[in-house]
Amino acid sequence: MTKSSRRSGAFPKDSAAETTEPAKTKIASVVDLLRNPGGATLETMMRATGWQAHSVRGALAGSIKKGMGLHVVSEKVDGVRIYRISAEVPA
């Protein structure tokens, strides 16, 4: 048996793995929610990630604001806090 014949077919390639998109990270999911024109509530981000409120707020401050350099703004609309990524760049 030659070296090339041992390799071929030994581990068949999974065709489904090649056609699927890479798994989206939870941070990427939060950023997608924040990019919506209407923004996202804390509860929406919690449901999307499975995180607790303090973890979502930590990700907003750490990974998204500081790590990625995105400008996240929050505002209260009808008593509900809405977070979104602002088009404006902070000074």
Side-chain angles (χ1 to χ4, degrees):
M1 189 187 300
T2 65
K3 193 174 190 180
S4 62
S5 66
R6 280 185 278 166
R7 287 187 189 172
S8 65
F11 297 103
K13 292 188 177 189
D14 185 11
S15 60
E18 293 176 9
T19 58
T20 59
E21 295 180 18
K24 183 185 277 190
T25 65
K26 291 181 180 183
I27 293 291
S29 297
V30 171
V31 170
D32 286 346
L33 289 170
L34 295 171
R35 286 198 168 129
N36 288 331
T41 64
L42 185 63
E43 290 76 23
T44 303
M45 292 182 277
M46 289 170 58
R47 271 186 264 122
T49 59
W51 292 340
Q52 294 182 5
H54 66 275
S55 299
V56 173
R57 287 190 295 267
L60 290 173
S63 296
I64 296 172
K65 283 183 178 180
K66 290 180 183 176
M68 297 176 151
L70 298 174
H71 186 225
V72 178
V73 296
S74 69
E75 57 189 358
K76 241 181 185 176
V77 178
D78 296 328
V80 177
R81 185 153 303 276
I82 303 291
Y83 298 87
R84 62 182 173 78
I85 293 177
S86 174
E88 299 176 18
V89 178

